[in-house]
Amino acid sequence: MTPDFGAFRLEFTDQMDHARNRTARLVSPNGVSDAAVAFIADFYRQEFIRHRECLAAQREYFSEQAITDADRALALVLNQLDQLCTRDNADTIIGKLLRQFNAVTGLSAWSDPSQRH
């Protein structure tokens, strides 16, 4: 049985539109332009989206509770990403989050050509 991810994509698209609308209202620290923060946030957003898609593709290998918990955590990060990107230590925090999600999804192994058979 193949899961239907149509509803997931629709919900996710709505979240992305909402996040983009918030980006214009960011107040940046230390003289970093709003455009720079928006660019960084969009880059990281795409990385977290890739983890979410990878998780959805592996749904059959995880319990429903594990999928729900991981997806909830990803949604939380995506909802707070604009604010995280304005912090002085954003790269450290977001890097740590990406490594934690990678431990679950294994996305980097999917992306690394040396890991393919």
Side-chain angles (χ1 to χ4, degrees), residues 63-81:
S63 70
E64 192 59 39
Q65 186 63 48
I67 293 289
T68 301
D69 291 346
D71 194 58
R72 185 177 296 128
L74 280 161
L76 180 64
V77 169
L78 286 166
N79 286 332
Q80 296 180 1
L81 193 57

Side-chain angles (χ1 to χ4, degrees), residues 19-88:
R20 284 192 183 108
N21 290 335
R22 285 192 330 250
T23 302
R25 297 189 307 262
L26 287 176
V27 177
S28 305
N30 303 326
V32 177
S33 73
D34 288 346
V37 171
F39 180 79
I40 293 166
D42 282 341
F43 170 79
Y44 284 128
R45 187 172 289 109
Q46 292 303 316
E47 290 302 304
F48 285 108
I49 290 169
R50 290 177 58 218
H51 280 286
R52 204 172 203 185
E53 291 169 347
C54 187
L55 181 68
Q58 299 178 57
R59 188 174 206 94
E60 67 185 271
Y61 303 109
F62 292 98
S63 70
E64 192 59 39
Q65 186 63 48
I67 293 289
T68 301
D69 291 346
D71 194 58
R72 185 177 296 128
L74 280 161
L76 180 64
V77 169
L78 286 166
N79 286 332
Q80 296 180 1
L81 193 57
D82 295 327
Q83 291 80 17
L84 286 171
C85 287
T86 63
R87 296 182 62 168
D88 289 337

